[in-house]
Each structure stands twice: as structure tokens, then as C-alpha cells.
Amino acid sequence: MKFTHLFEPRSIAVVGVSDDAARPGSQAVRALLKNGYAGKIYPVNPKYDAFEGMKCYPSVEAIPEHVDLVVIGVPAQGVQPVLEQCVARKVGFAVILSGGFRESGPDGIERERRMLETARQSGLRIIGPNCLGFANIHSNVYAAFGSITREPKLKKGGVSLVTQSGGFGYSIALACAEAGVGFRHVIATGNESDIDTIELIDALIDDAETRIIVAYIEGTEDGRALLDVGRKALAAGKPVLLWKGGVTEQGARAAASHTASMTGNYDFYRALFKQTGIVELREIHEAVDYLKALAGGRYPEGGGVAVLGVSGGSAIVFSDAGEPEGLQLCDLSEETQQRLAKVVPNIGAVHNPVDLTAGYFSAANQDKLELALHAVLDDPNVHAVCINTATTGKAGSLVAAQVLARVAAGAKKPLVVFSSAPASQIADALSVFDEACVPVLPSPSRAAKALAMLARYREAQRRLAGHAGDPAASEDPAPPAEWSGAAGALSETQSKAILSAAGIPVTRDAIVQGVDAGVFDSMTAPLVVKIVSSDIPHKTEAGGVKVGIRTRGELESAIGEVLKNARSYKPDARIDGVLVSEMVTGGFELIAGVVNDIVFGPVVVVGAGGIYAELMRDSACRIAPFDEAVAREMLDELRCRPILDGVRGAPPLDADAVARALAALSRFAWSQRERVQEVDLNPLFVLPSGVAAADALIVLRGEGAR
Amino acid sequence: MKFTHLFEPRSIAVVGVSDDAARPGSQAVRALLKNGYAGKIYPVNPKYDAFEGMKCYPSVEAIPEHVDLVVIGVPAQGVQPVLEQCVARKVGFAVILSGGFRESGPDGIERERRMLETARQSGLRIIGPNCLGFANIHSNVYAAFGSITREPKLKKGGVSLVTQSGGFGYSIALACAEAGVGFRHVIATGNESDIDTIELIDALIDDAETRIIVAYIEGTEDGRALLDVGRKALAAGKPVLLWKGGVTEQGARAAASHTASMTGNYDFYRALFKQTGIVELREIHEAVDYLKALAGGRYPEGGGVAVLGVSGGSAIVFSDAGEPEGLQLCDLSEETQQRLAKVVPNIGAVHNPVDLTAGYFSAANQDKLELALHAVLDDPNVHAVCINTATTGKAGSLVAAQVLARVAAGAKKPLVVFSSAPASQIADALSVFDEACVPVLPSPSRAAKALAMLARYREAQRRLAGHAGDPAASEDPAPPAEWSGAAGALSETQSKAILSAAGIPVTRDAIVQGVDAGVFDSMTAPLVVKIVSSDIPHKTEAGGVKVGIRTRGELESAIGEVLKNARSYKPDARIDGVLVSEMVTGGFELIAGVVNDIVFGPVVVVGAGGIYAELMRDSACRIAPFDEAVAREMLDELRCRPILDGVRGAPPLDADAVARALAALSRFAWSQRERVQEVDLNPLFVLPSGVAAADALIVLRGEGAR
């Protein structure tokens, strides 16, 4: 791993130690000593001969041996000379704890620019500046200060945390630690001038000791890199739990005042999460719950859940929370119910939710409980099991834990437990559950949400495995000849011709020059005419559109009118003719398009048409390119989706054709990403058979503009 | 209070004690003894002479003195004779712990019916059956078994809990208790055959020791009673936190299998919550957070929040979570920023969020912190303050707590704290915060949600105070003469005439008998004609509608056609004529109506018109009657609301006229609630000036049908 000597340094120099215990450098050295770091430590400060009983060096250059990692805690002005010494001494990595860079105004920006220049020229890699640093919990490396070095000490485990915000990110770590989660690496990246969160996630996927990655980011400048590491993590079976801070307009403003990071568009992030199986976090306790649930490494193969317990209310609450997340209290087979009937009291219930009756969790019932669990786990409708012990006390909970641990050991389906007994009361049971990786959640609703997350993650894995290949890998067609040198909006005719060639159906049409209705006979009325001019993007406003033309005579006069209107609207407009098209009638209007985002590159958007739809924000997006299966998922996200299946007696519409068009659009947008800034298909008519864009617009950026 | 001798009994008989410690009766007596209940205890079981060192009586009748409360834990078959003895001995209250009633099939239903008959005839009031019973924590009354009687003992406080589900409801209590919440009454009501949750909430509002009420219900048969207690609680300033279980179709199914309670429509519940300020719970930790936040008794007078702290990421997360809930990081005045600049380090920030810089919470800064807090609290834009101490450790947190406690003591605006330090590490600080009623939340997002809840509650109180009077109190007009004896759907003409008289604008129209176009001159074309017949509710299907009539001649032939079509569609239909109406053009189509729900009575619904709107579920409802202010809130909930303000250059539409029409509809629906089953105004056109229902339907129920 390229970061081996960063995370497992054989020697660490700490520049900026001092008698002031509050100085970052002092904190770092004390943390290394206290936690028993096994490598060499070189304190650096020209004012001291010794620090904490070790020799203190006047400079990095004065250190006689090779140094793997230099931790820098001197004031901002003093950082650059230290870096230059690092370069001279061929140090591989530096962690710059000091603030006073990009976040602090023009001087800081210049300081950070020089710092990065030095690093880039020499190959020195940097974490920070303006960060809390990192800790390798397994090897007791503490290149950090502040909360990371303070009590409580994190225990060893398989979770690594990367966070742009040290203060908030470490809050997540503390909450997880309190719930018993163990850590591998904890890294607070601050300004991310050189090494950023995405590069670190990438490295952590390759780290054998890291099983799950938790990250907090406020933004990235390279959404494609995040897409790639997300897919890599999914393929490696290492879940990434990611919190994106700054999701509202307000939040984005706060982000701007916090770091100089770019905050991208939240919808694009959410699309990326879906495309990669990245698990989004929006609460600290979600991180705790999800890490517990993921610890077992078992995933439900569907949404069917059997709920067993001693509290009917808890089953209702599970169901209320699970249903919107795609879980169902599935029907149990006749056989399952018969097996349950032998071990569940008569006054209970053997349908789902299974009512074990109050007080069931007891030593006397342990064999029965085991049989009941096997009965539901054997049922093919059941993909996961939730056991509500609810308020069950010490003895009953221990019995439940022991039985569940036995059953879980041989189970392929996940089991989760809802318990509300105080942790102090059922500590024995909790440690049995923990040992068996059976997650215990503090409410039935949180148990449901954790199971739903597991099911979604598994679904993302299945999708990744099922995709025939990366559409991006197919050869990129050359850009159409006509747009060499072009920039800005293409005409509707040009746009349609290009999109049609790319496999996106558009309405049949023809361009006429002057008042000539000869095309009438080769088309099916009603027709529509539109002025063709890249100087007139808003045709309706210019009187450049006439609809509902049914006769040859009407066509003739309509062509004459739009030409006249266009000339009077913009006398100097270059007019390429008049477009005569078939009007699409019937079907349902969608809008589709491409945004070539500065962070994410081309993103395809589809939504319901019309102003009302716009207000409703009924749209879905995915990062291009993607295949038809992904396009179908986009359609399934639309609230207007049922209309495509035919509602109120209307015929079903051709959703498959929409999916094909969207996938084609995504391939086109990706292959022409250097030039295509924007595409609009508005409206895109979905018909009982097929789909057709009745209008189309491609906006180019200048060549080499990016 | 009518339940004084239930909750503060001077003497308790417990029927069904036994050597088997697991028996509910045995558990109840032991809980009374262990917790030091001060009144007389009479164990009852004919098989024993003594129980737990007390005399054991053969029956309730055999007890020599008056008994306030009888707790019954005998098997279901034995309950009725005990109740009859209670009646004979004029016992006021019984708690029936035993199961085997309504929830257990036909025999149990009959048993419960007889039980209730006995109670109703005698005035004996009953909690249960099939319940965990209740505890009065202040007076050590434990008329209960199971988790309520087990460790940990709840501490005394001002929160009372009522729950239909003992198992799940007590889970809420345990989580709150662990967070330090103290309790007054904890009541698990089971089948609620006699005394139900709503009656108990009503009584708890009158209980001087109860300050906040938490409730879990799966359903009620009397939504109006819940509306009334909700309003009473709001007026009394006693917040009600209510969890409605069974909100999804699936959830509702689970409810049906759990108790025989009726599960009402969740949308109606949510309308009720808005109309009463009832705080909805959907997570156990929400109960914990909200109780902490409510403990201070301070409410924000708006959504402006100042966020101060040591973690920029935390401020972003606060903002992300707060914005959708109506909170804003408000602008701070020039003066506030100047005051802050004196006490915030230069490298920090004095705009909102205020960056105090890392390590700020320390003894050296305590005066500065106090000045900073006063600066933001004095700013009129600031309605609440959130302080992020985040990972700040023991010493710093204690300083923050002491300063905040001093400031909070004199503050009218609420202060909340986000801290992620482990509770064990900052126990001193937490107890100072607790003493000062400054809530400490475990994430910035939960801090935001708790503040948003306080702001919504305050808003509900303001609305209650601002409402000129209960529209229900106005005199009910007599029902229109024409529907004496009528039932089913009224004709459009009848419906429109009645609604018009009730103050709801409808289109101008006239009924003609036979082919007569004389009305043409008195109306403004285009016109529409419709057959008038209560035997033909679906007019379009019958060919009974013609639209777009522009001339006298067209009117004449249209009248002829619809008459002919109607006769051939249903030869025996009674035809009252043909309705000629002005067609409304322009404006925006809404749908409005009334559902006279079996649980909630008349509820008014308004939504966007058209099939797409239906798919989008873009609608709002409120329980009738209500005033125009409430009607405006309904409109504000619609996603199509911006259309009424005029979008894309369209003129603004008359939202006030819609509000007036909805309020009038609500008064009509309430005053005629005995007869009106349903009203449909579809479409209801909102015009630049005014509103008009272009079609209307009233469906009556038979007289005395309810």
C-alpha cells in the first residue's frame, strides 16, 4: 500500500514540541508515549535539548536517521522551512496540524499554494494542513492532537474513519466507541490540500485490517473519483458509510465559511450513493446502528422479515418504520406456522408478527425458542429475522442471547434484536450478543432501518455483479463533424440529428427553406412548424412556433408566419429554415436531459413534464454512463411512474423504450463529455409503443474549455 | 380530579396473589411493599390465610373496610365474580391485569361485554383488561405487574406516560429514565374497554404534578375526543408527545392482530396533531430528546438560531437538519458581531455560525463566553441558541456548563447544547446542565430537531391564542329543507344550491326543462350543459355532458343531445332537467371535499387537481370546523402552492378566496355532520379574483344512520 509508511511509520519526527502541554506537537508526542508507539520518536525544537526524557533535535535536518513521517505543529509561518527540510531529507509523509492556511485569507492561500508546490515537486505527501491528524489504533501511531489523543482510548477493531471535520467526525467515532465499536485508522484531513478523503478511502479499501469505512465530507472537487472508490469498495465487500455535510442551501453557505471546499449538488451525491452502494448517514446514531448491523457480515436477500417477540406494539412500530424502507412482514408458510404452533403458547400467534407471549424468554423455553427461530429461518419468504425482547430483564435476555448466538452461528440470514432493557441490567446478554455479532438496537424502528440498510447494500452488490460491463469501457465515438469549432446552443435540427444518430428517438421532421409545403404528403398530420435558428433559442417567445397544422394550406401559411415573426423578432438572426415536424399526440410527457457538472461530469436527469412536475421536483438522476437497468431504477423513483403502467383505463406506455433512450443518452453524454455542456429533451413523449423527443437542445462548451 | 381514588388510593385489594411469584397479583403486592406504598394492602385468595406477612382475605366481600382500588390478576374466567363483589362493596376502581378477553376470540369478547355492562351499570371504572396496569411513582402505588414493577425503579418527576401497548410503551419510559427523566404516572391500558388513553390524558392535564404527557396509541374510536384533549393540553401549556402506532397499511394489519382497536387514518391523525400542537413521536430517542428540550419551559418565538461552537462541521450538520424543519442560521446584527469580536479570537468567526475556535471552552475564557452568549441572546433575530461543545472534555465542558447555567437562568430564549463527549467523562458538566434545564443533545442534528419541535409547539400555542373563537361554537343552521328523508347522492344542482347558500362559490348556472336556449343571453359563453339526475351520478359516462358551447344554436342542440343520451343510458332515470353553466377558463384546478370519517367526523381535504396530482398525493386535510387561518395553513402545505402566487409570468391567483371557501366548507360540514357523508368540489377553480366550484356533489347518509 502506497501509504504504508504514513500509517505504519518506523520513525516519527514531531516539529513544535514545547513546555506548553497545549501545543499540538506536545500533545502528539505525549500521545505516542502514552499509547506505547513502538517506533522511534524525534521531538524537534531548537530551544530544547530534551523533551519528555528524549533527545530533542534543533531541526528535521539534524536528525541522524531516516524519518518516515514528520508531524508539524509550528505556527503557519514556520511550516514552509520545515517542509523544505523534509524534502531535503527525503521524508515521505508530513502531517501539518497547524492552521493559518487557505481558511485564513489571502496570506494563508499563498502559503498553502507554496506548500502544495513543494510537495508536488518532491513527491512528499501531506495530510492537512489545519487538521487534527490521524491515529493508527492497531499500531499506536498518534500523529494528532486534540480529541483524537484524549481519553477515552479507542479500542482496536476493523472500522476506519476519515473526516474533513475533525471536531464533528471525531464525535461520530466517540459515539461508536461507546457502543463497543473498535477502530483501525482515524484520520481528520482538514484542508485536504494534497491527500484527500477519496484517496484515503481508496487506500483503506486496500488495507487488510479495515473492514468498514466511515467518512464525513463537506465536498469534493472530483465526483468521478468518489464514484470509482465507491464501486471499488462495493466490489471489495467493504461498506462505506458516508455523511455528506452541507446538503441544504443554508448548509452549503456554512460550508463555504468553514473550509474552502467545494460543495457539490446533493442530488448528484445521492445518485452516486445509489450507484455505488455507499450507505448515507444523516445521524450519529445511524453510524452506531449500521456498524452493529454490518458487523455480522450477513445480508438479507430480499425485504421479507419475520418479527418474533413479546410485544405486539414493538412489531407494529417495526412494520411502520420498515415498510417505507422496503421491508415487509412476509407471510409465513403453512409449514412454518405448524412448526411454530408446537413451540408458541396457544394464546400467542404463529402468523407474522409471531407473538411469543409475555415472559417467553426464560430458561424453560430455550429449546422452544431455538425451534421457533429455525422454523422462521427455514421459511423461504423470510430474508431476515427481528426478535423483540423489549423490556425483558437480565435472566430472560441472557437466555435469548445464548439461543440466538447458537442459531446465528449457523444462519445465513441476518438476525437483529430490539431490546429496551438498560444496558447495565443486561450486560451479560449484551456481551453474548456482541460476541455472536447479533446487533441489538434500541428501538424496533431503528432495528427496521438497520435491516433495510443491509438489504439495500446487498441489492447494490447484486446489481454490481449483474451489470454486463462498464458502459464507459466501450469505445468513444468521435464527436460529430459539424461541431468542430462550434460553441453554445445548437439548433433543434442539428441537436435532433446528433441525438438520433446516438440512438435517441426524436420526432420525424424536415427542414424547408422558404414557403414550401411539399413535405406535407410524406408526414402524418397534425404537424408543427418551428423556426430554425441558433440565434433564437426561445422560439415560442419569438412567435417562431405554430402547432396543430392539419392541411397543406395551413402548413403553407404557418411557414410564412414563423419566418416573418422571426425576422421581426431578431432582424440579424441567421435563419437556417423552418422545421416541419409531426406532432406527437397522446402518451405522457417527460423531460430528460444532461448536466455536465463540474464535480460529477455528465449526469442524466429525467422527470415528469410540465410546470406542476417542476414544482413537485419529481425527477431522478444518475451519473453517466449507465445501462438500461439503472435507467429503469431512475424511472421507478419517479412518483409519476404509475402513469407509465396505465392508470384509469389508459393503455400502458413503453417504459422500456424510455430506459433505452436514457441509457443511450448517458453513453452519448459520457463519450462527448469534453464538448457537451447540456442536453435537453423537452418534451420526451412516452407512447404506448416507443418514445420520441419532440424538441431537443444540445449546448456545447468551447473546445478545450474545461 | 375524578380519578383521585384510582391514582391515590387509600387502600388496595389485590385479587389473585399466590406462592407463584410470577403471578401478576403476587408481583403487584410485592411491588407495593418494596416501594413503600403507604396505604392499606389487602391480598385476596381463598386458599391462603396470609401473604407476605399480611392477612389474606378469601374474597373482596370479606374485606372489613372500604377499598378504593381492586387489582385483579385471576384467570379471565374468574374476573366477573370479583367485579360483582366490587360493585356490591361500592369499590370505585378496578385494574384488570388478566388477559383472555376481546383479544382471545368469541368467548373473550362476550366476557369483555359482560364486564363492561357490569361497570357501566354500577359506575365502577376499569383500567384494562389485558394490561400491565399502572404506577403512581410519587405515591408508590403499583397496581401493575411485569416490567413496570421491575428494576430500574423510575425516579419521581413531572412526566406521565399512557400507553396502549405495555411492552413497547414501557420501552419509551426506560429510555427516558436512563436519560434522567423523572415520572409521575405510568399507565399501560391494554384493551381500554372502559377507561381509554384519551380520558387518561384528559385527567393528567388536570393533575398538578404532571407537566408533560407521553402517550402511545394504536387507534381510537373517538378522534374528536382526542382533538378536544389536545386543545385542552395546549391551552394548559402541558405538551403531549404522542406516538401513533400502525401508520402504514402493513402496520395497520399488525394492529388488527394485536388488539381489536380501530386504526384510523394516519393523515387525519397528523392533521389533528397540527391543529392541537400535539408533538408526534416516531422514535424512542425523540421522546428522550424532546423531554430534555421541554424541561426548560422556554420556547423560541421564531426560527432564527445562532450557532456557536468549536466545530464547523457540527454547525453545518445543525443547519442541514434544521433548515427542512423551519430553522435558519439567522444573520447577526452589526452590533452583535461587534460585541462578539471583542470575545472571539481573531482566527474565529463572528458571523453565524460563530466559530469560537478549538479549545475555547476553558476557565480562561469563561467571562468571554458569557459575553458572547449575551451578545447573541440580545440580538432580535435570534430566537434560540445552539452551543456545540462537540468533543470538548471534562474541564472545558464543566466551564461551559457553569457559564450556560448562569446565562440560562436569566434567559427567555432556549439554549441547547450538542456534546459528544462520553457521559462518564463529563458527568459533572451534565449534572450542571441538567440542574439548569439546559438540554444536552448527542448530535447537532438532534439538537436542531429538538429546537424545531419547541418552535412548532410555540407556534401552535400562538395560533390557539390568536383564534378568534371556536367556529364550532357558532349556532348550527338547520339542514336544508330539501333533504328531509333524502339519502345518497344529491344532484349537481341541489348540491350547488346548498353549497352556494353555505358561502361556497359555484359557477353561475340555470336548469332548463326540455330544449330551451333562452338562458343563453343572460350568461357568458363558453357554456357547458350537464344532465341533472340523482339517478345518474357519472354524467360523462352517460353522455350527459357537453362543453365549449359558444352560440345559441349550439346550446339548443347540446341540450337535446344530453337529454337523449341520458334517456338511452338509463331509461328509468328521473331527470330533473339540464344544467346550463358558465365554463370556467384559466386559473388553476384544485379539488376540495369533505370526508365524514367514523373516527374523526367531518374532515376537509384540499389538493391539486388532475390525475398527476392524485399520484403525487399533493393534498392537505384538517378536521372541521376551522377558520381561514387554518385553511391558509392547508394551502401552504400543498406543493402546488407556488402556482397560486403566479409562476412563469402567470397572474397571482386568489388564495384568500380559496381559504374562505374551505373555511365555509368546514363550517357547513360540521353543522350538517349528522347528514352529510361526503362533499366533492371537483374541480374547484382558483381564479385571479375569486374561486368557483365548477362541479359539486353532496352525498347524504340516511337520517339517524350514525
Side-chain angles (χ1 to χ4, degrees), chain A residues 296-570:
Chain A
R298 294 184 199 90
Y299 298 93
E301 297 293 333
V305 183
V307 177
L308 292 77
V310 294
S311 157
S314 302
I316 291 168
V317 168
F318 180 97
S319 179
D320 284 345
E323 201 250 18
E325 307 252 342
L327 302 184
Q328 312 87 39
L329 265 63
C330 58
D331 289 333
L332 300 177
S333 73
E334 202 48 54
E335 188 200 331
T336 305
Q337 297 200 33
Q338 280 168 14
R339 288 171 66 182
L340 286 170
K342 291 181 189 148
V343 292
V344 171
N346 282 340
I347 57 162
V350 297
H351 57 262
N352 201 1
V354 177
D355 182 3
L356 298 172
T357 73
Y360 188 82
F361 297 109
S362 66
N365 282 334
Q366 57 183 316
D367 295 340
K368 290 182 179 170
L369 175 61
E370 189 159 348
L371 290 168
L373 290 168
H374 283 301
V376 292
L377 283 167
D378 289 346
D379 192 311
N381 291 335
V382 173
H383 302 114
V385 177
C386 176
I387 299 95
N388 293 325
T389 63
T391 60
T392 300
K394 183 181 168 69
S397 292
L398 185 57
V399 168
Q402 287 161 339
V403 173
L404 271 152
R406 266 201 304 277
V407 174
K412 291 213 172 77
K413 299 174 180 176
L415 298 130
V416 302
V417 172
F418 155 55
S419 166
S420 57
S424 55
Q425 192 178 83
I426 59 161
D428 296 351
L430 290 176
S431 99
V432 174
F433 280 128
D434 191 46
E435 192 78 13
C437 290
V438 173
V440 180
L441 284 305
S443 78
S445 23
R446 283 167 62 176
K449 287 169 192 164
L451 271 183
M453 178 278 299
L454 291 179
R456 278 195 302 271
Y457 184 77
R458 183 71 191 99
E459 173 67 25
Q461 281 192 316
R462 249 198 314 268
R463 254 191 339 242
L464 182 77
H467 283 189
D470 186 354
S474 66
E475 130 198 44
D476 283 0
E482 54 265 55
W483 66 30
S484 158
L490 301 183
S491 73
E492 179 179 348
T493 336
Q494 284 176 304
S495 301
K496 276 185 166 172
I498 291 165
L499 291 167
S500 179
I504 298 143
V506 296
T507 48
R508 185 153 46 141
D509 50 25
I511 292 193
V512 297
Q513 306 294 340
V515 180
D516 169 5
V519 296
F520 186 81
D521 295 332
S522 64
M523 293 181 140
T524 311
L527 304 179
V528 55
V529 305
K530 296 182 202 168
I531 196 73
V532 181
S533 168
S534 45
D535 295 334
I536 306 179
H538 301 291
K539 305 177 191 95
T540 308
E541 217 175 281
V545 181
K546 297 279 161 190
V547 302
I549 297 156
R550 297 189 173 274
T551 66
R552 195 180 172 112
E554 282 176 21
L555 177 59
E556 218 164 69
S557 60
I559 293 171
E561 268 183 76
V562 298
L563 281 168
K564 200 181 94 205
N565 291 345
R567 284 193 197 106
S568 74
Y569 179 78
K570 196 164 185 188

Side-chain angles (χ1 to χ4, degrees), chain A residues 59-77:
Chain A
S59 68
V60 171
E61 281 191 311
I63 299 170
E65 288 135 308
H66 175 74
V67 174
D68 278 342
L69 171 64
V70 173
V71 178
I72 305 173
V74 296
Q77 299 82 342

